[in-house]
Amino acid sequence: GRTGSRTIGKSTDRFHDISPDVLPAKYRPQPVPFKYAFLGLIPVVLIGGLLPIYNIANNNGTHTVGLQAKLDDLNHTLQEINRAANSINNVENTISSFRAEAANLREQAQSVSSVNEGFGYTTQLVVDALPAGTSLTSISVGADHISLVGGTSSPSRVIDYAKALENLGEFKSVFITNLSNSFNLEIER
């Protein structure tokens, strides 16, 4: 063969006879101990395990923000409902006040109506019984009494007038409180 090169068998590879075992032990590839391989897997497993937890926490944070927005909307709606309820209460109080005032006015109207009916009937009786030469200047009608003020040409006509009012049977009593050319009569119903 050739000088300086060796060939073994049919191989023409020049470095075929170099064995890695010729290297000193410290330069030889060492198998990775199982504990180191296991320790190398721990970060991978931790990162792989923490990634879903991070995603869940991130989703929960997003979900919490969404819930907070809904809660804010509900609080705003609740405030509007409370304002509406206060307005309704104010309106109901106003309506109650108006109803009480209307009931009071109705009572007053009925009272005035009954006085007016009595006044009209009483006035007619008093005027119809009035003798000639006697006139009335004032008639006051209350619930249980009537006051008459008038003038006359003769005091005896006032006495006759008082007797005529008693004879009507509509009044309990008739009193003459002043008798002259002007007179006052008090009538009890």
Side-chain angles (χ1 to χ4, degrees), residues 111-128 139-142 146 170-171 189:
S111 175
V112 168
S113 175
S114 66
V115 167
N116 282 342
E117 288 173 11
F119 181 79
Y121 177 71
T122 303
T123 303
Q124 190 64 44
L125 288 175
V126 168
V127 170
D128 287 348
I139 301 173
S140 297
V141 178
I146 303 166
E170 294 287 329
F171 308 115
R189 292 188 187 204

Side-chain angles (χ1 to χ4, degrees), residues 61-73:
T62 304
H63 186 64
T64 302
V65 169
L67 288 176
Q68 185 63 43
K70 287 180 181 179
L71 181 62
D72 291 343
D73 288 344

Side-chain angles (χ1 to χ4, degrees), residues 132-160:
T134 306
S135 63
L136 295 174
T137 56
S138 170
I139 301 173
S140 297
V141 178
D144 59 353
H145 75 279
I146 303 166
S147 295
L148 302 175
V149 177
T152 184
S153 58
S154 168
S156 64
R157 289 190 177 162
V158 174
I159 296 170
D160 292 339

Side-chain angles (χ1 to χ4, degrees), residues 61-118:
T62 304
H63 186 64
T64 302
V65 169
L67 288 176
Q68 185 63 43
K70 287 180 181 179
L71 181 62
D72 291 343
D73 288 344
L74 288 174
N75 282 335
H76 181 69
T77 303
L78 182 62
Q79 288 173 353
E80 289 177 1
I81 288 170
N82 285 337
R83 272 183 271 187
N86 288 338
S87 295
I88 289 170
N89 286 339
N90 290 339
V91 168
E92 286 177 351
N93 289 341
T94 303
I95 289 171
S96 296
S97 172
F98 286 156
R99 283 184 179 158
E101 189 174 331
N104 187 21
L105 289 173
R106 199 173 302 120
E107 285 178 19
Q108 289 178 3
Q110 287 174 349
S111 175
V112 168
S113 175
S114 66
V115 167
N116 282 342
E117 288 173 11

Side-chain angles (χ1 to χ4, degrees), residues 155 158-160 162-163 174-179 183-186:
V158 174
I159 296 170
D160 292 339
K163 286 181 184 176
V174 178
F175 299 103
I176 301 171
T177 57
N178 181 21
L179 182 60
F183 65 90
N184 292 44
L185 291 177
E186 291 294 325

